[in-house]
């Protein structure tokens, strides 16, 4: 009798939907648990394995928490704007709005097949005017506080997607994260959010979050805090002209033997001598065509050109040559560096290649001043060749030289960050319009809030020219200035879709609210999100941006908290059978629909949970899914074989030896499944449940119900159903109803384990002779060591093995081994 999954799954999905079982009571906040997966991007009309792995696993955890007595809110929605839909529209001559709406409808039904506790009344879709109205409102709040600004800047440009990319959207090999085309640099006027104003707050906030250590480290490194000194260097030829460098090692200042400017530095053109101009200009043109990833690569050879100019070192008045090199970036620090080749690996490589001086000013421990450096020494030591600072240790020297520079007004202590402002402009159509009007008289003017949303027009001419289609939509573009009433033009760029996803978790709590982006009282009661689950690839993008927007809204007193997600977990990646990331071009994409049709939703979910470690994932193999199907069928069969225990009141009986053993397995399974599910260790949690099912089969083997302790067996079955329900929710509901407990299993408390049941009355000892195992014995837990020794000497072949030998000593390791030492 097989488990009829198709019939049962259809039945319970309909019941959950018609009864409104998972419509959350948001007024009940006493034990709230806001559980959230990163919402889905509907770039196609089907869910892939990664969605199932993430969404099914997180729903299992959410159901478990519900049974633990928490009021779980688990919404879902669609991150619906973005490039893929627009590119597909251009390719197929269809509208992205139509494509997206169709995909959303298909995916919504597929999401329901997961059997998750999604509150569909709280669904959000970022491409709907009722949502992006408030995305535009958030933009305006930043604009009012000078946190949104427009500036000309060198930006990352993807020639394939025909749009600007944020730094975070360029891969380490210098290609676009979406299409993998080579990214180039362009100078364009763009909109930015001033996330750099929040660099320190973003750093400090990480310390109070329950996030994976690697994600915290990635954000810290991306923000890149450096404490040091900004030092002024005058030009030797014109001391009225100067430039600044930032260094964390002012103790090495006496070791400067040359300076390096970024090729884009504004001084380069001014200071280059006629003799060097041609080579400098050629080098500059070559450099600006390269991506930042290429320029800062640690494995490529360092190149540069001498400008012909010199600077003056402020601590010793020494003239040092000024070079340009592409590894120095205008967008980081001051666009200039002081080169200390003896104590910086990059500078050492450059100086060695161009035969520039290398002067040691920090002596490594246990060495002598005259010792020759084989490479750059970057550690701490004692200052040498540094005049009055000689003999100081590095740490003291850093402070002393910083003091001296500040006293002479030649430098100042400063904190630098690698983090750069968030570029949000996109030269594409399918995104939230930026709510700004450009007026010749008034400049950049915010669209009045009562005129939001600025609606994205439907009738557009899609182009692949790298300019927004909105630029050529006359009715959209032409408007009047809300300040002076004169003719004006709307901004025609749209916002980065990461702006949409930076606040969506707030909207879920009141998605239909018309007069505000969110219900402030409700948001303050339910946020931060208690558990957020999604990919680690978002560490320096979505997760950073959502933190920034939350902090801004907190500073503006719209919300009372400053972090969006208290706890965070990352799922691993399910790869193709070949061990590579799934992609259509590789032909290794696995379609979940095949397995859903053959085994059902519960078996497929259980296999993903059992077959892969949640945080690691791994290559797909379908070898194990049949065994999970058999496991669920074993549960189905054993339940029906002994279903009669639920049909009458059975008398309570004392537990015999077999019942005590099954009771121990039961409570060990409850303990293990509880601890492992809490930690997202779903594979081992299912293993504990399997052990319980095996224990039930062993206990009931070839026995009629009359031969069993029916009252006890009923209690075991009840707890098995409760343990299984979060992992196989449809089956859990069906068995619970068949047992006569009513609707719903998820309204019943998660079982508690009894520590006393785990205590075994009999323990097993290994008997060793001179350290080698020779026998096993079972003894009562309460026996004293002397009695255990006597039993060991009389067990099995031990008397024969020690005959004619002298017993030197007997060592009893409680509840483990007895070691008999003989000679």
């Amino acid at each position: 009798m097989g488990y009829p999954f198709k019939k049962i799954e259809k039945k319970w999905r309909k019941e959950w939907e018609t009864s409104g079982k998972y419509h959350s009571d948001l007024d009940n906040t006493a034990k709230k648990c806001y559980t959230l997966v990163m919402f889905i991007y509907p770039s196609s009309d089907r869910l892939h394995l990664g969605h199932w792995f993430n969404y099914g696993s997180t729903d299992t955890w959410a159901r478990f928490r519900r049974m633990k007595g928490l009021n779980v809110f688990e919404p879902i929605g669609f991150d619906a704007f973005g490039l893929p839909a627009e590119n597909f529209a251009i390719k197929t001559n269809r509208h992205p709005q139509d494509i997206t709406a169709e995909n959303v409808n298909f995916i919504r039904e597929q999401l329901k097949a997961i059997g998750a506790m999604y509150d569909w009344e709280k669904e959000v879709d970022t491409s709907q005017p009722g949502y992006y109205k408030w995305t535009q409102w958030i933009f305006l709040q930043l604009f009012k506080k000078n946190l949104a600004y427009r500036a000309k800047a060198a930006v990352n440009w993807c020639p394939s997607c025909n749009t600007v990319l944020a730094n975070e959207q360029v891969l380490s090999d210098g290609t676009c994260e979406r299409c993998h085309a080579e990214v180039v640099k362009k100078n364009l006027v763009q909109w930015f959010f001033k996330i750099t104003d929040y660099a320190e707050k973003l750093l400090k906030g990480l310390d109070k979050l329950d996030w994976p250590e690697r994600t915290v480290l990635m954000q810290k490194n991306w923000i890149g805090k450096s404490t040091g000194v900004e030092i002024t260097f005058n030009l030797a030829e014109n001391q009225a002209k100067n430039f600044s460098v930032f260094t964390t090692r002012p103790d090495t200042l006496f070791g400067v033997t040359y300076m390096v400017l970024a090729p884009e530095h504004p001084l380069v053109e001014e200071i280059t001598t006629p003799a060097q101009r041609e080579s400098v200009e050629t080098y500059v043109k070559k450099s600006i065509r390269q991506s930042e990833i290429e320029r800062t690569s640690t494995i490529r050879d360092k190149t540069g050109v001498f400008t012909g100019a010199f600077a003056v070192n402020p601590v010793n008045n020494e003239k040092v040559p000024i070079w340009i090199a592409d590894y120095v970036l205008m967008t980081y620090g001051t666009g200039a560096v002081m080169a200390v080749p003896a104590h910086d690996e990059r500078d050492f490589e450059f100086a060695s290649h161009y035969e520039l001086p290398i002067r040691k000013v920090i002596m490594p421990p246990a060495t002598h001043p005259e010792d020759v450096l084989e490479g750059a020494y970057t550690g701490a030591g004692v200052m040498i060749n540094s005049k009055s600072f000689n003999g100081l240790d590095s740490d003291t020297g850093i402070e002393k030289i910083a003091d001296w520079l500040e006293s002479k007004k030649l430098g100042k202590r400063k904190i630098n960050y690698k983090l750069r402002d968030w570029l949000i402009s996109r030269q594409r159509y399918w995104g939230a319009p930026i709510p700004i009007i450009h007026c010749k008289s008034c400049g950049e003017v915010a669209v009045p809030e009562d005129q939001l949303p600025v609606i994205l027009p439907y009738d557009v001419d899609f182009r692949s020219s790298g300019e927004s289609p909105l630029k050529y939509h006359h009715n959209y573009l032409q408007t009047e200035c809300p300040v002076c009433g004169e003719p004006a033009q709307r901004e025609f760029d749209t916002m980065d879709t990461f702006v949409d996803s930076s606040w969506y978790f707030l909207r879920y709590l009141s998605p239909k609210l018309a007069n505000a982006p969110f219900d402030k009282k409700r948001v303050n009661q339910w946020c931060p999100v208690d558990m957020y689950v999604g990919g680690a690839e978002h560490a320096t993008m979505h997760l950073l941006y959502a933190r920034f927007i939350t902090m801004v809204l907190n500073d503006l007193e719209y919300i009372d908290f400053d972090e969006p997600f208290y706890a965070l977990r990352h799922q691993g990646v399910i790869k193709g059978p070949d061990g590579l990331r799934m992609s259509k071009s590789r032909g290794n994409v696995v379609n979940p629909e095949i397995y859903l049709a053959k085994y059902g939703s519960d078996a497929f979910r259980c296999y993903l949970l059992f077959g892969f470690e949640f945080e690691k994932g791994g290559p797909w193999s379908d070898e194990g899914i049949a065994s999970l199907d058999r496991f669920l069928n074993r549960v189905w069969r054993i339940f029906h074989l002994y279903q009669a225990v639920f049909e009458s009141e059975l008398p309570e009986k004392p537990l015999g030896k077999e019942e005590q053993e099954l009771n121990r397995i039961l409570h060990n399974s409850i303990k293990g499944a509880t601890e492992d599910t809490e930690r997202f260790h779903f594979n081992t949690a299912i293993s504990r449940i399997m052990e319980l099912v095996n224990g039930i089969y062993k206990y009931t083997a070839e026995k009629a119900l009359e031969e069993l302790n029916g009252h006890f067996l009923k209690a075991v079955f009840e707890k098995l159903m409760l343990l299984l329900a979060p992992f196989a929710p449809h089956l859990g509901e069906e068995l619970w109803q068949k047992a006569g407990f009513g609707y719903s299993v998820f309204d019943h408390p998660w079982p508690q384990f009894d520590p006393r049941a785990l205590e075994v009355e009999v323990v097993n000892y290994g008997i060793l002779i001179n350290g080698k195992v020779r026998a096993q014995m079972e003894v009562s837990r309460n026996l004293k060591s002397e009695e255990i020794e006597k039993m060991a000497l009389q067990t099995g072949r031990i008397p024969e093995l020690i005959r004619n030998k002298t017993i030197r000593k007997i060592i009893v390791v409680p509840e483990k081994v007895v070691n008999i030492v003989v000679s």
Side-chain angles (χ1 to χ4, degrees):
M1 184 173 59
Y3 162 44
F5 64 84
K6 290 182 180 178
K7 178 182 176 182
I8 289 172
E9 289 176 3
K10 182 179 179 181
K11 167 187 172 180
W12 286 107
R13 283 176 211 149
K14 182 178 179 181
E15 180 64 31
W16 292 333
E17 190 166 347
T18 56
S19 68
K21 170 55 65 178
Y22 302 125
H23 293 168
S24 305
D25 178 9
L26 298 179
D27 293 326
N28 176 14
T29 60
K31 293 184 177 180
K32 67 97 177 175
C33 182
Y34 190 169
T35 304
L36 191 61
V37 290
M38 294 181 185
F39 60 172
I40 189 168
Y41 181 70
S43 57
S44 70
D45 61 356
R46 66 182 64 244
L47 297 178
H48 56 65
L49 272 179
H51 294 124
W52 267 90
F53 188 46
N54 181 1
Y55 293 2
S57 302
T58 306
D59 180 68
T60 289
W61 187 86
R63 288 181 178 278
F64 163 74
R65 297 289 283 176
R66 177 187 175 108
M67 295 173 75
K68 293 280 283 182
L70 280 77
N71 181 23
V72 175
F73 176 48
E74 188 182 13
I76 194 69
F78 301 94
D79 190 9
F81 274 140
L83 279 174
E86 185 171 347
N87 288 340
F88 189 71
I90 295 170
K91 182 178 179 181
T92 62
N93 199 30
R94 295 191 63 206
H95 200 286
Q97 180 176 312
D98 300 335
I99 296 167
T100 301
E102 289 174 7
N103 289 349
V104 164
N105 288 332
F106 280 125
I107 292 172
R108 186 184 294 111
E109 294 308 308
Q110 291 182 316
L111 285 168
K112 290 178 181 178
I114 292 176
M117 296 195 303
Y118 297 141
D119 184 347
W120 287 103
E121 288 188 345
K122 304 299 189 298
E123 177 187 320
V124 300
D125 179 333
T126 61
S127 68
Q128 294 300 309
Y131 184 91
Y132 69 73
K133 167 183 180 177
W134 300 109
T135 302
Q136 293 171 343
W137 177 88
I138 286 173
F139 176 96
L140 292 181
Q141 308 319 301
L142 273 73
F143 184 70
K144 291 176 191 174
K145 296 296 180 181
N146 296 318
L147 291 171
Y149 67 94
R150 195 166 177 250
K152 189 170 187 178
V155 297
N156 304 306
W157 180 265
C158 176
S160 175
C161 295
N162 280 315
T163 194
V164 167
L165 302 177
N167 292 317
E168 297 84 351
Q169 293 169 304
V170 180
L171 300 178
S172 59
D173 62 356
T175 61
C176 171
E177 67 162 357
R178 289 192 180 275
C179 70
H180 301 285
E182 185 175 350
V183 175
V184 297
K185 284 289 182 182
K186 270 192 176 185
N187 286 312
L188 296 174
V189 176
Q190 301 287 298
W191 283 97
F192 295 85
F193 282 166
K194 208 168 186 183
I195 193 173
T196 51
D197 277 10
Y198 282 76
E200 188 64 26
K201 194 169 185 178
L202 287 164
L203 271 178
K204 289 182 177 178
L206 291 167
D207 296 335
K208 61 184 179 183
L209 301 178
D210 177 14
W211 283 24
E213 185 177 343
R214 59 179 173 155
T215 305
V216 170
L217 185 61
M218 286 174 72
Q219 286 210 1
K220 286 183 176 179
N221 289 340
W222 190 261
I223 295 166
K225 182 179 181 179
S226 299
T227 302
V229 180
E230 191 169 275
I231 305 170
T232 301
F233 282 76
N234 292 327
L235 296 178
E237 295 81 3
N238 182 359
Q239 299 246 348
K241 290 272 187 181
N242 58 60
F243 60 94
S244 297
V245 303
F246 174 81
T247 180
T248 61
R249 294 293 303 271
D251 57 320
T252 65
L253 189 51
F254 284 89
V256 173
T257 59
Y258 63 98
M259 308 297 296
V260 184
L261 301 181
E264 306 92 334
H265 198 291
L267 268 181
V268 171
E269 184 177 356
E270 183 178 343
I271 66 173
T272 301
T273 62
Q276 296 296 115
R277 186 163 300 282
E278 183 178 351
S279 59
V280 167
E281 288 178 350
T282 301
Y283 188 84
V284 169
K285 288 177 182 177
K286 180 182 176 182
S287 298
I288 62 176
R289 288 197 299 266
Q290 297 175 319
S291 70
E292 289 187 7
I293 303 293
E294 290 176 303
R295 288 172 58 173
T296 57
S297 171
T298 57
I299 60 173
R300 68 191 291 262
D301 292 336
K302 302 296 179 287
T303 63
V305 175
F306 177 43
T307 64
F310 292 82
V312 177
N313 188 331
V315 293
N316 57 13
N317 290 319
E318 184 175 300
K319 285 176 60 176
V320 290
I322 302 174
W323 286 64
I324 61 170
D326 57 9
Y327 66 80
V328 180
L329 303 176
M330 195 63 218
T331 51
Y332 178 61
T334 64
V337 298
M338 62 180 216
V340 186
H343 306 292
D344 181 275
E345 292 174 359
R346 181 186 58 187
D347 297 344
F348 184 91
E349 180 185 339
F350 191 94
S352 299
H353 181 74
Y354 290 105
E355 298 182 349
L356 295 165
I358 298 174
R359 181 186 304 140
K360 182 167 65 173
V361 293
I362 302 294
M363 185 171 63
T367 65
H368 302 91
E370 63 273 13
D371 292 345
V372 177
L373 289 173
E374 298 297 327
Y377 175 69
T378 60
V382 176
M383 294 179 68
I384 59 174
N385 299 322
S386 300
K387 295 189 175 181
S388 61
F389 299 96
N390 284 339
L392 294 178
D393 64 85
S394 296
D395 291 340
T396 303
I398 287 171
E399 298 304 319
K400 292 289 187 182
I401 289 188
D403 290 341
W404 185 87
L405 289 167
E406 287 188 328
S407 71
K408 303 293 184 182
K409 294 185 169 42
L410 297 171
K412 59 181 178 180
R413 286 177 169 86
K414 190 177 180 182
I415 295 174
N416 258 14
Y417 300 91
K418 288 199 312 188
L419 181 68
R420 298 171 210 173
D421 284 340
W422 175 11
L423 192 160
I424 67 149
S425 292
R426 296 295 179 268
Q427 290 67 46
R428 301 303 294 255
Y429 163 76
W430 192 232
I434 294 175
I436 291 292
I437 293 170
H438 298 285
C439 174
K440 290 182 179 179
S441 301
C442 305
E444 296 159 358
V445 180
V447 172
E449 290 182 17
D450 61 5
Q451 293 181 21
L452 297 179
V454 176
I455 294 289
L456 199 61
Y458 184 87
D459 55 331
V460 291
D461 175 18
F462 293 106
R463 299 164 183 253
S464 56
S465 63
E467 293 181 296
S468 170
L470 297 177
K471 185 176 181 180
Y472 301 96
H473 192 289
H474 180 81
N475 290 341
Y476 174 84
L477 196 65
Q478 303 304 322
T479 185
E480 64 178 37
C481 175
V483 176
C484 69
E486 292 296 314
Q489 286 191 339
R490 292 191 187 280
E491 172 62 55
F492 46 77
D493 281 356
T494 54
M495 282 187 249
D496 179 6
T497 55
F498 281 118
V499 182
D500 307 326
S501 60
S502 68
W503 72 281
Y504 76 110
F505 54 95
L506 304 174
R507 186 66 177 174
Y508 273 137
L509 291 154
S510 48
K512 298 178 177 65
L513 191 63
N515 60 354
F518 44 78
D519 183 321
K520 182 176 180 178
K521 179 181 178 183
R522 183 161 284 173
V523 158
N524 286 331
Q525 289 172 331
W526 277 87
C527 292
V529 171
D530 296 285
M531 179 58 71
Y532 195 41
V533 184
E537 67 273 15
H538 295 292
T540 56
M541 291 186 287
H542 161 62
L543 291 169
L544 188 67
Y545 299 149
R547 294 184 63 221
F548 164 62
I549 293 298
T550 300
M551 289 175 180
V552 171
L553 292 174
N554 173 254
D555 284 349
L556 298 178
E557 299 183 352
Y558 289 113
I559 56 177
D560 294 343
F561 51 93
D562 60 3
E563 288 288 349
F565 317 117
Y566 169 68
L568 173 70
R569 299 293 181 268
H570 296 309
Q571 81 278 8
V573 176
I574 304 293
K575 298 180 179 178
D578 54 6
L580 302 174
R581 276 189 175 267
M582 292 187 195
S583 76
K584 292 179 182 178
S585 62
R586 292 194 180 107
N588 64 352
V589 175
V590 177
N591 182 4
E593 299 293 327
I594 298 171
Y595 301 99
L596 294 173
K598 186 174 182 179
Y599 299 108
S601 172
D602 283 351
F604 190 59
R605 180 196 288 223
C606 282
Y607 176 58
L608 289 171
L609 295 175
F610 179 72
F612 303 90
E613 287 187 52
F614 181 73
E615 294 182 352
K616 293 183 179 179
W620 171 258
S621 169
D622 57 11
E623 292 178 0
I625 191 169
S627 67
L628 264 295
D629 178 60
R630 287 194 296 272
F631 164 65
L632 295 183
N633 274 281
R634 290 187 82 211
V635 174
W636 180 259
R637 285 195 302 274
I638 195 70
F639 173 85
H640 283 85
L641 282 171
Y642 296 98
Q643 189 176 350
V645 298
F646 296 101
E647 295 170 357
S648 59
E649 287 293 327
L650 298 171
E652 187 173 355
K653 298 178 183 179
L655 301 187
K657 184 177 180 180
E658 289 183 333
E659 285 83 12
Q660 288 178 7
E661 174 60 14
L662 179 56
N663 195 48
R664 184 191 65 78
I665 294 172
L666 168 66
H667 287 275
N668 187 61
S669 294
I670 295 172
K671 180 177 184 292
T674 302
E675 294 171 351
D676 291 341
T677 304
E678 186 70 67
R679 298 180 299 164
F680 281 72
H681 292 183
F682 303 113
N683 53 342
T684 50
I686 291 178
S687 293
R688 300 290 83 79
I689 300 171
M690 288 177 168
E691 290 171 6
L692 176 57
V693 173
N694 290 338
I696 294 172
Y697 268 87
K698 182 179 179 181
Y699 172 65
T700 59
E702 299 179 2
K703 295 187 182 81
L705 180 58
E706 295 75 20
E707 301 175 71
L708 301 170
N709 186 331
H711 185 276
F712 167 69
L713 184 59
K714 177 180 178 181
V716 173
F717 271 129
E718 179 182 346
K719 291 179 175 60
L720 169 63
M721 289 183 279
L722 292 169
L723 292 175
L724 185 63
F727 300 89
H730 305 91
L731 178 59
E733 289 279 30
E734 183 70 11
L735 295 180
W736 193 253
Q737 185 184 67
K738 283 179 174 291
F741 291 123
Y743 179 56
S744 157
V745 65
F746 296 104
D747 292 335
H748 198 87
W750 180 262
Q752 303 294 312
F753 79 92
D754 182 354
R756 294 171 299 176
L758 301 179
E759 296 176 2
V760 183
E761 296 302 318
V762 176
V763 293
N764 184 276
Y765 276 85
I767 304 174
L768 287 66
I769 297 177
N770 291 343
K772 294 184 177 180
V773 178
R774 297 301 186 184
Q776 302 280 337
M777 69 176 184
E778 286 188 347
V779 301
S780 170
R781 178 185 295 277
N782 299 322
L783 280 185
K784 295 180 180 178
S785 292
E786 295 83 0
E787 295 171 306
I788 293 172
E789 290 177 14
K790 289 179 182 178
M791 288 187 67
L793 294 172
Q794 299 168 11
T795 296
R797 295 180 58 229
I798 299 300
E800 177 187 341
L801 294 171
I802 63 175
R803 187 179 299 136
N804 301 323
K805 291 186 171 60
T806 302
I807 298 175
R808 296 298 181 185
K809 59 181 175 178
I810 301 176
I811 304 168
V812 177
V813 180
E815 301 187 12
K816 291 186 178 179
V817 297
V818 179
N819 189 13
I820 305 168
V821 181
V822 300
S823 60

